[in-house]
């Protein structure tokens, strides 16, 4: 599982101070949403919003859940079946699931950085959707500009979608491989299909993701791959649903 | 040599097959079929009988047993009775209820229980059967989520689509819920304890785990790769189950519900303790079959809790550790296959099996390691069968090889001896003492001229058959037939300490046999044969001499040459002997001449008479020789 976590370099203020020193606020919930305080064995019962979140707190959304977390730098809408850990004032972990981040423009030198075990995203006031599931991570940039690079500064195989996406000729072997992917690894289907339509660009340390594009990050054949493509309908729809919760 | 190489290759094939068996058994051990798993469990369950550990003193089993049932009536009781009893546990640190209140009863009784539960650190039970989980409302899911282990991604967890919860009012009163399910192995014995179950998108812990969480305020970290409870590593299997490390069934601290309800009950008895309330009364059917026999179901939860408390969770010896153990066994097995005697080999296999059992027991008793000794023992048995079958095959091939190599030269008894002592067969030459015997037919030319070739061959074959038979009778080895001559060796290839004597006996027996042979044609002198024999003892080089792939077992050296010369001299000495007056002749005929070393070896046992020193061809010095009086030997019944 790729844990996706964010380091906020700016000091965040919270809406409602808590005894533990709340650094974010659970502002709105829908469905079943649980908050498990740091070091606690069990989640809190009957959480009422707004609820101050302290360092180490975890926010879980179940299948039908959704949550809005606000902080000074912006807002985060957590989709269902997701988990966020409030590590500290500058760092949130998206351990699992999906979330839309709305980050306000930061002062120079105080930009937000998004980290995963493999990548770092530099954020300069923007909105993006992150999904982290199993071994796949996707970043869809709705607005603004972000830069993505690996944590270890190693190069990624950077693929970009071909201008003419209508042409897709597969050899027999590729067709079988394609079908096998669809059959066994449905979650990677879209990524694979996009990769078939994409062409290798270069091995790069950092990728500047443009607005309207998504970057699918995964590993195939022991190589780390970053696949750039227009935001898919699926991610677009997911963003639209979550974005309704943004203030 | 080619056959020998094949034999050596045969052993390598044996080792290869043994390793394949190892891989096969290892693969089965990694994913055993139910029947195999049951057999394995039956064997390793014996470990438990050697366990004398006591459960942690913090744990108490509050049991509803026969006395309590007699006092308060048949289970289930009115809930106000239970409420009253639970109130008396108020000093307990954690109370686990191994029971489910899924149906409402009288309102005031339920209310009494609800009010009690709300004030206690109590964990209520739920069962993963009954209604479909999809029928639960959001409040029920939310309550379950409060008790669940959140954020777990583990596809191997035992999943259930069904769930039966306490009534909503009781559920709301209970601080926490936990599953009460325990799954039996395929042989219906309870050995494993699931840490948690998957219900829809929630992971619900089992009762013992939930009691630990509440008592220690530590959470479970569970994934397909590893599991921890607080700082404690949980050696779970693919289904997130732990192997139970049972305590003696009579070692638990038990308090009966009847005791609890007595007027003189002292609440301090459970102060700060972990109490599990459950039913052990046989009529309620919460009795489970375990390797220790039938025990109340609540004790299985308590056993797991005890294992968590005293850190006696069993870690299976599996994966690389088991593979390494099997490889070490294979190395010992390869050594075992080098042993000659089957009975010794079988004893070593047995010893290895016993050692494995003892190791497994020690690993369990002192290191909380669990070795399913079944798999390595099955492997040992398979290796034993394979090895013995293979070694029998190799032995048969060796026997055939030796028989093929020597049967035409050596007496059958010697062949058997060679087969049994295969290592005594040295290919290549070596210098050693031996006795060489040569025979040749005298005046044979008229016979060859008189008889048809076919008849002559038959005649010679009959003669050689007799001669070789007598050679074999006295442990002689036929070296070769040279025309109508016979060359034989004694003390080679197998040792014969009295080889000179045996050579003399063989020569006399051959002469006797020839006489009997000639009696077959009393009126046909052309078919009657005459033979001279030379015997000499000394050092010679003996062995398989020749080119690779075609060896010829023979002897070379002066001692052998002299034997041949002695045989050649018999005719001349016979003629000289006949010229002597009869009174001066110790014996009538000179058919067998023996050399000096032979004479010294047999002079005290056989009739030998000196002849004039012989000037033999190729020898500068005359050599002494003796006549062996074979006719006297026959008369004296020496043969």
């Amino acid at each position: 599982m790729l844990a996706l976590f964010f380091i906020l370099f700016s000091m965040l203020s919270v809406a409602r101070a808590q005894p533990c020193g709340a650094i974010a606020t659970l502002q709105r919930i829908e469905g079943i949403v649980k908050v498990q305080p740091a070091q606690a064995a069990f989640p809190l019962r009957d959480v009422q919003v707004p609820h101050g979140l302290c360092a180490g707190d975890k926010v879980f959304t179940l299948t039908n859940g959704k949550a809005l977390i606000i902080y000074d730098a912006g807002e985060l809408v957590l989709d269902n079946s997701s988990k966020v850990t409030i590590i500290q004032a500058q760092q949130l972990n998206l351990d699992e699931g999906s979330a839309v981040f709305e980050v306000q423009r930061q002062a120079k030198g105080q930009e937000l950085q998004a980290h995963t075990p493999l990548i770092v995203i530099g954020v300069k006031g923007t909105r993006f959707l992150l999904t982290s599931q199993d071994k796949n991570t996707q970043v869809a940039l709705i607005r603004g500009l972000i830069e993505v690079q690996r944590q270890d500064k190693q190069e990624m195989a950077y693929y970009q979608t071909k201008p003419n996406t209508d042409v897709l000729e597969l050899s027999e072997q590729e067709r079988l491989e394609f079908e096998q992917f669809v059959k066994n690894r449905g979650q990677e289907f879209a990524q694979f299909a996009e990769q078939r339509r994409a062409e290798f660009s270069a091995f790069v340390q950092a990728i500047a993701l443009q607005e309207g594009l998504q970057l699918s990050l995964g590993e195939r054949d022991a190589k780390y791959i970053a696949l750039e493509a227009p935001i898919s309908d699926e991610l677009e729809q997911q963003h639209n649903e979550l974005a309704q919760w943004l203030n | 040599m080619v056959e020998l190489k094949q034999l050596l290759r045969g052993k390598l094939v044996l080792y290869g097959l043994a390793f394949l068996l190892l891989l096969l058994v290892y693969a089965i051990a990694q994913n055993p079929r139910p029947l195999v798993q049951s057999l394995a469990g039956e064997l390793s369950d014996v470990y438990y009988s050697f366990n004398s550990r006591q459960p942690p003193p913090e744990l108490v089993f509050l049991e509803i047993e026969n006395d309590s049932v007699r006092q308060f009536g048949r289970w289930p009781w009115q809930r106000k009775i239970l409420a009253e009893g639970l109130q008396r546990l108020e000093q307990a640190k954690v109370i686990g209820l191994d029971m489910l209140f899924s149906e409402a009863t009288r309102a005031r009784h339920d209310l009494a229980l609800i009010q009690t539960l709300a004030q206690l650190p109590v964990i209520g039970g739920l069962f993963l059967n009954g209604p479909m989980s999809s029928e639960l409302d959001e409040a029920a899911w939310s309550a379950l989520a409060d008790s669940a282990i959140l954020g777990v991604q583990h596809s191997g967890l035992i999943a259930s689509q069904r769930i039966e919860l306490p009534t909503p009012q009781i559920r709301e009163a209970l601080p926490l819920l936990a599953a009460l399910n325990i799954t039996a192995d395929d042989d219906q014995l309870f050995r494993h304890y699931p840490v948690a179950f998957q219900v829809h998108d929630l992971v619900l812990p089992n009762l013992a785990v939930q009691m630990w969480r509440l008592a220690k305020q530590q959470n479970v970290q569970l994934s397909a790769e590893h599991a921890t409870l607080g700082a404690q590593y949980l050696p779970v299997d693919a289904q997130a189950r732990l192997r139970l490390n049972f305590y003696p069934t009579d070692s638990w601290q038990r308090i009966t519900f009847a005791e609890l309800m007595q007027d003189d009950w002292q609440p301090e008895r459970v102060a700060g303790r972990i109490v599990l309330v459950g039913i052990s009364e046989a009529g309620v059917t919460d009795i489970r079959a375990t390797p220790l026999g039938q025990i109340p179901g609540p004790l299985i939860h308590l056993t797991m809790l005890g294992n968590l408390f005293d850190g006696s969770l069993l870690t299976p010896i599996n994966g690389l550790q088991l593979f390494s153990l099997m490889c070490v066994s294979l190395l010992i097995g390869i050594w075992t296959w080098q042993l000659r005697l089957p009975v010794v080999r079988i004893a070593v296999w047995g010893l290895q099996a016993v050692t494995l059992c003892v190791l497994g027991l020690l690993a369990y008793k002192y290191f909380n390691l669990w070795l399913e000794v079944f798999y390595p023992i099955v492997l040992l048995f398979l290796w034993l069968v394979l090895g013995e079958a293979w070694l029998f095959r190799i032995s048969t091939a060796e026997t055939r090889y030796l028989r093929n190599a020597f049967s035409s030269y050596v007496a059958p008894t010697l062949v058997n001896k060679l087969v049994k002592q295969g290592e005594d067969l040295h290919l290549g030459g070596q210098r050693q003492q031996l006795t060489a015997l040569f025979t040749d037919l005298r005046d044979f030319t008229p016979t060859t001229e008189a008889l048809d070739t076919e008849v002559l061959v038959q005649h010679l074959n009959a003669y050689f058959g007799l001669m070789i038979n007598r050679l074999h009778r006295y442990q002689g080895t036929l070296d070769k037939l040279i025309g109508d001559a016979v060359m034989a060796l004694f003390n080679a290839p197998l040792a014969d300490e009295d080889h000179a004597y045996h050579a003399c006996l063989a020569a006399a027996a051959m002469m006797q046999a020839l006489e009997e042979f000639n009696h077959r044609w009393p009126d046909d002198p052309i078919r009657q044969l005459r033979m001279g024999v030379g015997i000499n003892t000394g050092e010679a080089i003996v062995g398989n001499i020749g080119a690779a792939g075609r060896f010829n077992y023979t002897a070379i050296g002066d001692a052998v040459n002299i034997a041949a010369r002695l045989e050649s001299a018999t005719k001349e000495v016979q003629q000289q002997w006949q010229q002597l007056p009869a009174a001066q002749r110790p014996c009538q005929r000179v058919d067998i001449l023996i050399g000096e070393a032979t004479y010294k070896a047999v002079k005290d046992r056989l009739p030998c008479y000196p002849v004039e020193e012989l000037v033999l061809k190729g020898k500068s010095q005359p050599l002494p020789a003796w006549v062996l009086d074979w006719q006297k030997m026959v008369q004296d019944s020496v043969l």
Side-chain angles (χ1 to χ4, degrees):
Chain A
M1 179 172 59
L2 290 176
L4 207 60
F5 48 94
F6 288 75
I7 298 177
L8 309 179
F9 283 97
S10 57
M11 293 298 291
L12 300 176
S13 63
V14 293
R16 187 164 66 98
Q18 294 289 305
C20 60
I23 54 177
T25 301
L26 182 62
Q27 186 67 28
R28 181 184 170 192
I29 60 175
E30 181 182 282
I32 300 176
V33 177
K34 294 293 175 185
V35 176
Q36 188 160 331
Q39 309 304 321
F42 303 97
L44 299 173
R45 299 185 75 165
D46 303 324
V47 171
Q48 301 297 319
V49 292
H51 176 86
L53 298 170
C54 305
D57 285 1
K58 297 180 177 66
V59 179
F60 297 88
T61 57
L62 299 195
T63 307
N64 61 349
K66 197 184 292 183
L68 170 65
I69 299 171
I70 62 173
Y71 50 97
D72 245 9
E75 301 174 358
L76 177 155
V77 182
L78 193 61
D79 205 355
N80 62 64
S81 304
S82 301
K83 174 188 172 188
V84 158
T85 303
I86 316 298
I87 299 299
Q88 51 184 313
Q90 296 85 5
Q91 185 176 348
L92 301 177
N93 280 13
L94 177 62
D95 299 314
E96 179 193 353
S98 304
V100 165
F101 289 81
E102 173 78 26
V103 182
Q104 295 164 7
R105 182 166 295 279
Q106 300 297 300
K108 191 170 184 180
Q110 294 184 326
E111 296 88 350
L112 176 142
Q113 283 191 330
H115 287 221
T116 76
L118 291 172
I119 65 167
V120 181
I121 303 174
V123 183
K124 298 176 181 177
T126 183
R127 179 191 295 179
F128 58 95
L129 171 70
L130 288 185
T131 70
S132 176
Q133 194 168 33
D134 294 331
K135 294 185 176 179
N136 292 316
T137 299
Q138 290 185 309
V139 186
L141 183 61
I142 308 302
R143 187 178 64 242
L145 177 68
I146 60 176
E147 187 179 72
V148 179
Q149 58 180 300
R150 288 183 58 142
Q151 287 274 21
D152 56 10
K153 310 298 181 191
Q154 295 299 308
E155 292 179 328
M156 297 175 281
Y158 178 36
Y159 289 82
Q160 289 180 298
T161 305
K162 296 171 186 172
N164 181 0
T165 59
D166 294 331
V167 179
L168 176 61
E169 293 182 3
L170 297 178
S171 67
E172 179 64 15
Q173 178 62 32
E174 288 172 328
R175 188 184 62 78
L176 292 173
E177 189 181 358
F178 181 87
E179 288 175 355
Q180 195 63 32
F181 248 85
V182 173
K183 182 179 177 184
N184 297 339
R185 306 167 81 172
Q187 294 175 345
E188 298 179 18
F189 164 72
Q191 181 180 342
F192 175 79
E194 287 296 339
Q195 188 178 326
R196 295 303 314 160
R197 291 177 173 86
E199 63 183 7
F200 175 74
S201 176
F203 286 103
V204 296
Q205 286 187 335
I207 299 168
L209 190 62
Q210 302 296 317
E211 198 172 288
L213 297 178
Q214 69 175 57
L215 201 60
S216 300
L217 304 154
E219 197 172 349
R220 278 192 64 194
D221 304 327
K223 290 181 180 176
Y224 203 68
I225 290 174
L227 173 63
E228 186 186 271
I231 296 175
S232 67
D233 292 343
E234 185 185 2
L235 287 186
E236 182 80 37
Q237 184 179 351
Q238 188 177 15
H239 161 259
N240 290 339
E241 289 175 3
L242 294 176
Q244 293 174 15
W245 276 41
L246 294 170
N247 291 319
Chain B
M1 294 299 282
V2 174
E3 281 188 71
L4 199 61
K5 285 177 182 172
Q6 287 172 345
L7 293 176
L8 289 173
R9 272 205 301 273
K11 276 211 166 177
L12 293 178
V13 171
L14 169 63
Y15 303 155
L17 285 175
F19 187 69
L20 285 178
L21 275 179
L22 185 153
L23 293 177
L24 177 67
V25 173
Y26 175 75
I28 291 172
Q30 296 309 295
N31 190 18
R33 307 291 295 175
L35 177 63
V36 176
Q37 202 170 25
S38 300
L39 289 172
E42 288 288 332
L43 190 59
S44 49
D45 285 346
V46 178
Y47 294 159
Y48 290 124
S49 58
F50 290 89
N51 182 11
S52 56
R53 292 177 307 110
Q54 298 296 302
E58 302 97 312
L59 306 185
V60 176
F61 179 29
L62 181 72
E63 59 180 332
I64 295 167
E65 34 60 76
N66 288 338
D67 287 346
S68 305
V69 168
R70 274 200 296 272
Q71 186 172 339
F72 297 102
R74 199 170 173 78
W75 181 266
W77 298 331
Q78 291 180 349
R79 288 178 180 166
K80 69 173 184 179
I81 298 174
L82 201 56
E84 188 181 341
L86 292 176
Q87 283 172 4
R88 295 172 175 236
L89 298 175
E90 60 184 352
Q91 293 192 28
K93 187 174 185 180
V94 172
I95 303 166
L97 298 178
D98 188 5
M99 54 190 68
L100 174 63
F101 308 105
S102 58
E103 294 168 353
T105 62
R106 288 186 182 177
R108 61 190 177 90
H109 293 169
D110 284 357
L111 183 61
L113 182 61
I114 289 166
Q115 288 172 341
T116 300
L117 294 176
Q119 297 166 3
L120 295 173
V122 64
I123 298 169
L126 59 86
F127 278 122
L128 299 177
N129 49 28
M132 295 297 290
S133 61
S134 55
E135 297 173 10
L136 295 182
D137 57 20
E138 188 168 310
W141 280 116
S142 183
L144 285 173
D146 290 336
S147 298
I149 307 168
L150 297 174
V152 172
Q153 290 291 314
H154 192 311
S155 58
L157 288 173
I158 300 170
S160 174
Q161 300 294 321
R162 297 177 182 275
I163 190 166
E164 189 169 22
L165 296 174
T167 65
Q169 293 77 18
I170 294 177
R171 188 186 71 211
E172 289 301 316
L174 285 165
L176 288 168
L177 293 166
L180 301 178
N181 294 66
I182 318 165
T183 52
D185 288 354
D186 291 298
D187 57 0
Q188 300 309 309
L189 289 183
F190 289 83
R191 301 186 184 87
H192 293 90
Y193 191 87
V195 169
F197 299 91
Q198 184 87 46
V199 181
H200 196 47
D201 59 349
L202 290 179
V203 173
L204 300 176
N206 220 332
L207 181 59
V209 176
Q210 195 74 305
M211 291 173 77
W212 170 276
R213 291 175 81 195
L214 185 56
K216 299 288 187 180
Q217 285 297 309
Q218 291 179 343
N219 203 3
V220 182
Q221 300 295 325
L222 194 58
S223 71
E225 288 79 26
H226 75 285
T228 57
L229 185 52
Q232 190 169 192
Y233 167 73
L234 301 181
V236 294
D237 64 12
Q239 293 180 294
R241 300 184 310 163
L242 291 161
R243 179 177 282 275
L244 291 157
N245 193 354
F246 290 97
Y247 305 90
T249 50
D250 57 356
S251 61
W252 291 98
Q253 292 190 66
R254 296 170 183 243
I255 298 173
T256 68
F257 199 87
E259 280 181 79
L260 179 71
M261 298 296 280
Q262 285 174 357
D263 293 337
D264 59 351
W265 165 252
Q266 298 171 316
E268 311 81 58
R269 287 184 65 182
V270 295
R273 292 187 164 179
I274 316 293
V275 181
L276 190 139
V277 184
I279 302 157
S280 63
E281 204 271 325
V284 186
T285 70
D286 193 11
I287 302 296
R288 310 290 181 177
T290 71
L292 298 187
Q294 304 278 336
I295 67 172
L299 281 186
I300 294 182
H301 293 291
L302 265 187
T303 298
M304 177 45 57
L305 196 53
N307 295 167
L308 293 170
F309 264 89
D310 63 16
S312 61
L313 290 168
L314 292 172
T315 302
I317 296 177
N318 214 337
L320 187 61
Q321 296 161 321
L322 182 64
F323 186 75
S324 302
L325 183 70
M326 288 176 165
C327 286
V328 170
S329 288
L330 178 58
L331 291 177
I332 297 173
I334 289 173
W335 172 78
T336 306
W337 284 322
Q338 313 308 315
L339 300 174
R340 177 153 291 276
L341 292 177
V343 66
V344 176
R345 288 199 297 270
I346 292 171
V348 172
W349 287 116
L351 185 65
Q352 205 184 155
V354 170
T355 304
L356 278 170
C357 290
V358 172
L359 278 177
L361 181 60
L362 294 177
Y364 164 69
K365 196 166 171 59
Y366 297 107
F367 301 102
N368 292 325
L369 297 172
W370 190 265
L371 171 64
E372 286 287 15
V373 74
F374 173 79
Y375 300 108
I377 284 183
V378 163
L379 193 55
L380 291 183
F381 177 75
L382 292 174
W383 282 340
L384 186 154
V385 172
L386 171 73
E388 290 308 310
W390 203 266
L391 290 176
F392 176 76
R393 179 180 170 276
I394 289 179
S395 173
T396 306
E398 277 180 343
T399 302
R400 191 166 56 244
Y401 162 70
L402 290 172
R403 285 188 189 282
N404 289 343
F406 284 92
S407 60
S408 59
Y409 302 106
V410 187
T413 52
L414 280 185
V415 171
N416 291 336
K417 202 170 174 184
L418 273 170
V419 167
K420 287 179 184 170
Q421 302 176 2
E423 75 273 15
D424 287 345
L425 173 64
H426 298 289
L427 302 178
Q430 64 179 7
R431 188 178 292 276
Q432 69 170 77
Q433 284 286 324
L434 56 74
T435 297
L437 180 151
F438 276 84
T439 74
D440 197 9
L441 293 178
R442 294 178 196 158
D443 306 322
F444 187 54
T445 306
T447 304
T448 60
E449 291 173 351
L451 295 178
D452 290 339
T453 303
E454 194 174 329
V455 175
L456 179 65
V457 169
Q458 286 178 352
H459 198 60
L460 270 178
N461 282 346
Y463 159 75
F464 281 132
L466 283 171
M467 297 304 108
I468 291 170
N469 176 272
R470 297 309 187 272
L471 276 175
H472 288 171
R473 183 180 296 175
Y474 294 101
Q475 302 181 36
T477 300
L478 175 65
D479 183 303
K480 58 176 74 75
L481 302 174
I482 310 161
D484 54 6
V486 172
M487 175 181 170
L489 303 174
F490 292 77
N491 198 34
L494 279 179
D496 178 5
E497 289 186 356
D498 210 4
H499 49 92
Y501 180 66
H502 286 146
C504 291
L505 293 184
M510 291 164 83
M511 292 306 303
Q512 184 188 21
L514 181 62
E515 194 166 77
E516 292 167 0
F517 179 76
N518 288 337
H519 284 164
R520 297 180 193 174
W521 300 277
D523 302 324
D524 188 359
I526 203 69
R527 290 177 183 262
Q528 292 177 1
L529 304 176
R530 285 164 295 282
M531 180 175 76
V533 181
I535 301 172
N536 190 47
T537 301
E539 196 173 70
I541 295 171
V542 63
N544 292 303
I545 298 165
R550 173 67 183 176
F551 67 81
N552 185 21
Y553 191 83
T554 189
I556 54 176
D558 204 36
V560 179
N561 295 339
I562 289 173
R565 300 288 182 263
L566 286 170
E567 181 278 319
S568 301
T570 53
K571 185 176 179 181
E572 185 181 342
V573 173
Q574 165 72 4
Q575 288 171 352
Q576 293 171 359
W577 197 263
Q578 293 300 328
Q579 291 171 5
L580 293 172
Q584 294 180 12
R585 280 182 273 159
C587 60
Q588 292 304 310
R589 296 171 55 177
V590 178
D591 293 321
I592 305 171
L593 283 177
I594 63 176
E596 186 174 12
T598 309
Y599 167 73
K600 287 178 180 175
V602 305
K603 64 181 180 182
D604 297 330
R605 293 178 284 177
L606 298 177
C608 306
Y609 313 112
V611 297
E612 286 185 16
E613 289 193 342
L614 303 176
V615 179
L616 299 177
K617 198 161 104 182
K619 292 290 173 187
S620 56
Q621 298 294 323
L623 293 174
W626 286 261
V627 175
L628 180 68
D629 188 355
W630 65 272
Q631 289 171 312
K632 188 169 190 308
M633 290 167 65
V634 172
Q635 288 169 7
D636 295 345
S637 302
V638 175
L639 300 178

